């Protein structure tokens, strides 16, 4: 009899416990501990908190004395890069001992280096070495290409060159993207961003080739930041100039390198024939990517006299640079 | 696998290994052999061999990727599969590239029997491990489950139908060949699942996980058409072990059947000594093949796992060279009244049959199988989807593929090409696109990926030449291939009703930007246009230049109208066949 009562009470306890527990988690107001209540269905939606890049970007303190634009011409890429960077204050102005540096080349397409559709691997390597010599603790090279990342990095030669020069290459994987907030941006105020290579980064340097582009007319250092985004990038063409102005706002680099060793002067941005490429023999370093790009438009794409693409004015309106490069402080050096 | 005897006293209380028990572990066996004979017994070596080959199999799938391929023979298992070699020889009258490696398996089978099945086959290992891990049977029950059943003939019918069809030019062995099946299952389901798990670990901070993923540097998780079905099939087939041990191997496996037919000539087999055998049936406890070692050994069913030798308490079983097929003439006296002797020793076993040479398939059933294969061929081939009169516009084959009828003679649906494809564009064909005959063969789906211009990896790993080994020069029509022109996969078309500049007053032309040919196969009509809201826009309205289009599909992949792209590729214009040319000037130079 006793056994029977105990069994009954146990069962009753289980019935009451399960009912009350289920009732609590489903009905308790949503602030209460363990509550799962969601009367309007909003609670079940994913909520990703956006990340932000540093307020002032990755730029170093501006200087009124030093040139904004260093232009080196010649054939020895290492010496040219060094001369161009020296012209704007030298690498030690930008990179301090212990810095973690992200170098962002343009490796958007699976093309071998001579076809001019990607950053020249030798220039990327020279830049990595320069940062290393300045005491950077770590140099990373990253891009999110249009075509298959592994194939693009291998075919362009950027992977081999970057690793041999002492950097680590970051290729995108599904878990590498986070939502980035860029306050003030027209289109990409919240957009998936290739975040993993940015974790812990203190300096960012862009290194972009000079390319013809069918829609925005020219793809250089400003458009280069396109490769840091994920998501539905194929919508960007609907307002490509607005997007490039947004990219300038999103990422303010330590400095940029315009790799004019080759110029893809037509059939851009993919190219594919040596006939589309000519020797540029120029490397530009600048703290102002609009000035660098405007220089490239006039002197490397040789489109001086044609109006600048609309994104220059849009970005300049936001105070992100000065496309009137001739009025900025320029230093031109002939190397060798 | 009986436990080794552990004589000696129980270990002393307290931590550590007590000396007496350690000595007991090193004590010789009762028969005088040294202690290490217990460790290095043949069944343990077999387990090591299975682990090695399974590891090798997974490793080779792991290196099947641009950044890892180097010189590895990524398709080794497929190329060593003698059924692949034999069936493609039937269908094409050729032995492609590495397929002669089937000899590496053929010769051991002719010497030792179906050793492959229990020593090397990764799928067999998967089944055996599953059966072992989830075993709930007692020994008596196991013995009953390991008896031979007529159901096990099925695999010979499967093999027969497939081989007859192959002779007509329809290669279907890949549907059930264990290597093809397992490579496909890894490619389509297991690899994406493992990578998903590893990526989640990496996202939790375990960064080392991201370096061992199968498919590094893919910005998006890989997806596959009909993955659920391939997944359901492996779960079903592996789960079947719970009902019939080694269900797939015993009942369905066409490779096992092929090796079973061959093993009638094997020089070695398990032999039962009737002067020792007490008919206790304990040898059936661990018998993987259900090959009746307790009676007349079915050579065609024996996997040579050696469990029976291990389990025999009388030491009556041994693996012997050229044993006698029949002993009844040598036995003197009658086994029924216990007076029988063999070579002077009393015969203990009541069963004097020791060998069944060939598969248990009566001749008339072989005949039925052949007839079934003969009629199955037209049944499949006259399905419109694979017939050249009507094959599907979305059956876009990878670059280097031979023309469709030859493709169906060669493709074993192993999906290695799909595994190596860096952009995920290669997909296993669904029934709706390729019918049953082309099920799981590779087709390109440009809503998922595109054909990377300088990539010929699929042609590199294809074991049977359905995708012929193709150089980049050949693919792009460079150098000595300039006269032939590039490989065309199909042709792109615009759907002006869905195109943003054509139909919606909105600038776009992503398609033109990404078009990789030079000059570009997509041109634009440029127009300054006043929109409905009064704004002035420049619209670049795209059009195709069909002579230049190679059908790579990157325009479709990148089109912002993602659900049903405004530019799309179909197979018309493909350069591999004359049946689907588009332009008068684009005829294949054959």
């Amino acid at each position: 009899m006793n056994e029977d009562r105990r069994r009954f009470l146990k069962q009753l306890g289980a019935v009451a416990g399960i009912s009350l527990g289920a009732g609590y988690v489903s009905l308790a107001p949503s602030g209460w501990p363990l509550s799962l209540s969601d009367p309007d269905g909003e609670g079940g939606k994913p909520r990703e908190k956006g990340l932000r890049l540093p307020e002032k970007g990755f730029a170093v303190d501006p200087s009124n004395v030093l040139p904004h634009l260093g232009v080196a011409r010649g054939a020895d890429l290492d010496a040219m890069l060094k001369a161009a960077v020296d012209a704007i204050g030298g690498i030690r102005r930008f990179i301090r001992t212990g810095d973690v540096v992200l170098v962002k080349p343009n490796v958007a397409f699976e093309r071998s280096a001579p076809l001019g559709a990607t950053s020249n691997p030798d220039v990327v390597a020279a830049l990595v070495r320069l940062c290393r010599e300045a005491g950077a603790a770590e140099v990373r090279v990253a891009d999110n290409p249009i075509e298959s990342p592994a194939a693009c990095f291998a075919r362009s030669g950027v992977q081999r060159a970057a690793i041999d020069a002492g950097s680590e290459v970051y290729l995108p994987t599904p878990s590498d993207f986070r939502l980035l907030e860029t306050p003030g941006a027209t289109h990409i105020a919240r957009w998936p961003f290739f975040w993993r290579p940015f974790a812990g980064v203190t300096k960012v340097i862009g290194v972009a080739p000079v390319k013809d582009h069918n829609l925005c007319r020219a793809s250089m250092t400003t458009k280069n930041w396109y490769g840091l985004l994920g998501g539905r990038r194929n919508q960007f063409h609907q307002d490509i100039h607005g997007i490039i102005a947004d990219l300038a706002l999103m990422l303010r680099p330590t400095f940029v390198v315009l790799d004019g060793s080759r110029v893809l002067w037509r059939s851009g941005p993919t190219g594919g024939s040596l006939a589309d490429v000519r020797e540029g023999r120029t490397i530009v370093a600048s703290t102002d990517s609009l000035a660098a790009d405007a220089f490239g438009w006039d002197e490397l794409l040789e489109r001086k006299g044609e109006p600048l693409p609309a994104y220059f004015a849009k970005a300049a309106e936001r105070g992100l640079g000065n496309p009137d490069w001739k009025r900025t402080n320029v230093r031109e050096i002939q190397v060798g | 696998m009986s436990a080794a005897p552990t004589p000696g006293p129980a270990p002393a209380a307290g931590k550590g290994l007590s000396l007496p028990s350690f000595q007991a572990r090193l004590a010789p066996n009762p028969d005088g052999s040294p202690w290490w004979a217990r460790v290095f017994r043949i069944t343990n070596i077999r387990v090591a061999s299975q682990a090695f080959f399974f590891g090798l199999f997974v490793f080779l799938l792991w290196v099947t990727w641009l950044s890892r391929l180097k010189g590895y023979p990524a398709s080794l298992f497929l190329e060593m599969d003698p059924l692949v070699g034999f069936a493609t020889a039937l269908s094409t009258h050729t032995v492609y590239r590495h397929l002669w490696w089937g000899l590496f398996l053929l010769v051991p089978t002719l010497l030792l029997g179906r050793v492959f099945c229990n020593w090397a086959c990764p799928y067999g290992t998967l089944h055996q491990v599953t059966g072992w891990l989830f075993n709930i049977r007692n020994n008596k029950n196991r013995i009953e489950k390991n008896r031979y059943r007529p159901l096990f003939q099925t695999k010979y019918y499967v093999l027969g139908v497939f081989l007859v069809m192959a002779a007509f030019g329809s290669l279907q062995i890949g549907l059930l060949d264990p290597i093809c099946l397992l490579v496909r299952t890894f490619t389509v389901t297991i690899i994406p699942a493992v990578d998903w798990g590893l990526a989640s670990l990496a996202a939790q901070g375990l960064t080392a996980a991201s370096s061992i993923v199968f498919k590094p540097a893919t910005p998006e998780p890989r997806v596959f058409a009909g993955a659920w079905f391939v997944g359901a099939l492996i779960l079903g087939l592996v789960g079947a072990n719970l009902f019939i041990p080694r269900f797939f191997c015993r009942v369905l496996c066409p490779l096992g059947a092929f090796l079973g037919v061959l093993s009638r000539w094997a020089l070695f087999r398990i032999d039962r000594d009737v002067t020792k055998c007490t008919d206790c049936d304990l040898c059936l406890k661990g018998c993987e093949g259900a090959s009746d070692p307790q009676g007349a050994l079915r050579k065609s069913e024996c996997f040579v796992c050696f469990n029976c030798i291990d389990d025999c308490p009388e030491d009556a079983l041994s693996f012997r060279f050229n044993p006698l097929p029949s002993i009844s003439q040598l036995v003197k006296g009658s086994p029924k009244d216990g007076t029988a002797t063999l070579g002077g020793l009393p015969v203990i076993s009541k069963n004097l049959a020791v060998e069944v040479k060939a598969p248990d398939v009566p001749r008339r059933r072989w005949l039925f199988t052949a007839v079934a294969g003969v009629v199955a061929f037209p049944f499949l081939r006259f399905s419109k989807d694979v017939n050249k009169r009507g094959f599907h516009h979305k059956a876009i084959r990878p670059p280097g593929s031979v023309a469709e009828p030859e493709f169906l003679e060669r493709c074993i649906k192993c999906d290695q090409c799909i595994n190596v494809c860096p952009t995920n564009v290669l997909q296993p064909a669904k029934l709706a696109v390729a019918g049953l005959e082309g099920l799981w063969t590779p087709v390109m789906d440009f809503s998922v990926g595109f054909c990377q211009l300088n990539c010929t990896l699929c042609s590199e790993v294809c074991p049977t030449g359905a995708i012929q080994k193709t150089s980049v020069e050949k693919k792009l029509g460079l150098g000595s291939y300039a006269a032939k022109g590039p490989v065309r996969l199909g042709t792109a078309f615009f759907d002006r009703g869905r195109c943003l500049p054509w139909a919606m007053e909105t600038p776009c032309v992503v398609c033109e930007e990404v078009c990789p040919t030079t000059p570009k196969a997509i041109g634009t009509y440029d127009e300054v246009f006043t929109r409905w809201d009064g704004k002035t826009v420049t619209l670049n309205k795209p059009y195709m230049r069909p002579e230049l289009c190679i059908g790579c599909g990157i325009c479709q992949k990148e089109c912002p109208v993602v659900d049903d792209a405004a530019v799309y590729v179909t197979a018309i214009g493909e350069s591999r066949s004359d049946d689907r040319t588009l332009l008068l000037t684009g005829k294949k130079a054959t």
Side-chain angles (χ1 to χ4, degrees), chain B residues 86-93 159-173 370 373-374 377-378 381 408-410 437:
Chain B
F86 182 71
T88 53
L90 277 182
S91 61
T92 68
H93 313 295
L159 174 73
V161 171
F162 284 170
L163 289 183
V164 172
M165 287 177 65
F168 281 99
S170 175
L171 192 63
Q172 297 304 317
I173 55 157
V374 170
F377 173 74
R381 185 55 61 90
L408 296 171
E409 283 174 2
R410 290 180 178 271
E437 209 183 342

Side-chain angles (χ1 to χ4, degrees), chain A residues 148 174 213-214 232 234 237 270, chain B residues 452 508 512-513 520 558 560:
Chain A
S148 160
H213 192 282
N214 59 327
R232 290 285 314 281
N234 51 10
H237 276 211
T270 50
Chain B
Q452 184 90 52
C508 183
E512 191 235 352
E513 168 176 337
K520 286 178 183 288
E558 293 298 325

Side-chain angles (χ1 to χ4, degrees), chain A residues 110-111 144 146-151 155 171-175 213-215 232 234 237-238 267-273 276, chain B residues 66 217-221 422 450 452-454 500 506-510 512-516 518 520 540 554 558-560 562:
Chain A
E110 192 218 7
R111 290 281 188 276
N144 179 23
I146 305 277
E147 298 185 296
S148 160
R155 173 76 53 178
L171 301 184
T173 68
S175 55
H213 192 282
N214 59 327
L215 195 64
R232 290 285 314 281
N234 51 10
H237 276 211
Q238 291 162 36
S267 272
T270 50
S273 163
D276 305 332
Chain B
L66 170 67
T218 42
E220 287 171 304
F450 60 96
Q452 184 90 52
L453 192 66
N454 295 305
L500 298 182
T506 304
C508 183
V509 291
V510 178
E512 191 235 352
E513 168 176 337
V514 294
C515 179
T518 181
K520 286 178 183 288
N540 314 98
I554 193 170
E558 293 298 325
C559 177
V562 287

Side-chain angles (χ1 to χ4, degrees), chain A:
Chain A
M1 210 50 197
N2 233 346
E3 281 297 308
D4 219 29
R5 188 186 307 136
R6 200 169 292 155
R7 182 191 54 78
F8 172 72
L9 287 175
K10 266 187 187 168
Q11 249 170 284
L12 195 65
V15 168
I18 292 169
S19 318
L20 287 175
Y24 175 83
V25 295
S26 49
L27 292 173
S30 53
W32 293 20
L34 299 179
S35 164
L36 302 177
S37 168
D38 178 23
D40 59 0
E42 286 297 318
K45 293 182 180 171
R47 248 187 310 250
E48 192 182 349
K49 208 172 155 329
L51 296 161
R52 290 196 186 187
L53 294 176
E55 191 79 20
K56 289 176 188 157
F58 299 91
V60 296
D61 291 334
S63 159
N64 294 326
V65 191
L66 289 164
H68 289 132
L69 204 58
V71 179
R73 298 179 207 270
D76 178 351
L77 295 175
D78 270 275
M80 284 156 67
L81 178 70
K82 189 161 186 314
V85 176
D86 281 345
I88 59 169
I91 191 71
R92 280 170 214 284
R93 179 186 166 203
F94 302 103
I95 305 296
R96 299 276 161 79
T97 307
D99 267 337
V100 178
V101 184
L102 177 74
V103 169
K104 163 64 177 78
N106 180 339
V107 197
F109 297 100
E110 192 218 7
R111 290 281 188 276
S112 59
L115 295 173
T118 54
S119 296
N120 186 336
D122 298 331
V123 175
V124 176
L127 185 58
V128 170
R129 282 193 294 270
L130 206 59
C131 296
R132 279 290 198 196
E133 284 158 19
E138 198 183 326
V139 183
R140 302 171 182 173
V141 174
D143 192 17
N144 179 23
I146 305 277
E147 298 185 296
S148 160
C152 292
F153 269 80
R155 173 76 53 178
S156 65
V158 170
Q159 172 138 323
R160 184 76 281 144
I163 290 171
D164 288 349
S167 64
E168 206 179 324
V169 170
Y170 284 65
L171 301 184
T173 68
S175 55
D176 293 348
F177 292 87
R178 300 276 174 81
L179 207 56
L180 181 77
E181 290 181 355
T182 303
T186 313
H187 300 293
I188 55 170
R190 283 165 69 81
W191 202 270
F193 183 80
F194 186 18
W195 178 256
R196 187 170 58 104
F198 271 80
V201 152
T202 54
K203 299 287 161 61
V204 176
I205 305 170
V207 48
V210 181
K211 299 204 287 181
D212 167 58
H213 192 282
N214 59 327
L215 195 64
C216 71
R217 305 288 287 113
S219 168
M220 289 179 279
T221 64
T222 317
K223 181 156 188 301
N224 184 29
W225 308 124
Y226 182 104
L228 293 175
L229 297 179
R232 290 285 314 281
R233 294 192 292 190
N234 51 10
Q235 295 171 335
F236 289 175
H237 276 211
Q238 291 162 36
D239 181 13
I240 193 73
H241 299 288
I243 285 289
I244 298 175
D246 276 0
L247 290 173
L249 181 67
M250 174 188 84
L251 202 123
R252 287 186 240 179
T254 312
F255 67 94
V256 292
V257 173
L258 185 64
D259 164 20
S261 56
R262 299 189 182 94
V263 176
L264 181 66
W265 62 279
R266 67 170 186 199
S267 272
T270 50
S273 163
L274 287 174
D276 305 332
V277 184
R278 66 174 167 241
E279 291 291 306
R281 304 172 62 85
T282 309
I283 288 180
V284 179
S286 177
T287 48
D288 178 344
S289 62
L290 291 184
D293 288 359
F295 174 87
W297 177 265
D298 285 354
E299 302 289 315
L300 297 169
L301 282 170
E302 298 176 15
R303 292 179 183 174
K304 203 186 307 185
E306 292 180 48
L308 281 173
Y311 65 81
F312 282 90
K314 289 193 180 209
E317 267 169 37
R318 289 174 168 171
L320 298 170
N322 182 5
D324 194 0
W325 64 274
K326 283 179 186 157
R327 285 170 190 266
T328 64
N329 194 346
V330 185
R331 181 177 295 168
E332 301 197 35
I333 312 111
Q334 185 67 38
V335 178

Side-chain angles (χ1 to χ4, degrees), chain B residues 75-91:
Chain B
S75 303
L76 177 73
F77 278 80
L78 293 155
E79 287 160 336
M80 274 178 49
D81 181 335
L83 180 56
V84 171
F86 182 71
T88 53
L90 277 182
S91 61

Side-chain angles (χ1 to χ4, degrees), chain B residues 525-588:
Chain B
Y525 306 120
D526 302 338
E527 214 178 304
V528 179
F529 194 87
T530 307
R531 282 169 50 110
W532 65 273
D533 55 4
K535 283 184 188 152
T536 303
V537 289
T538 304
L539 295 179
N540 314 98
K541 297 178 173 176
Y543 68 92
M544 286 310 303
R545 301 162 176 162
E547 302 83 356
L548 299 173
C549 181
I550 53 174
C552 74
I554 193 170
C555 50
Q556 181 175 348
K557 169 68 173 61
E558 293 298 325
C559 177
V561 192
V562 287
D563 62 338
D564 185 6
V567 56
Y568 59 96
V569 177
T570 70
I572 186 82
E574 58 175 14
S575 51
R576 70 188 176 117
S577 78
D578 277 336
D579 297 323
R580 287 204 282 195
T581 51
L582 176 62
L583 303 175
L584 184 62
T585 51
K587 282 268 182 256
K588 204 175 124 192

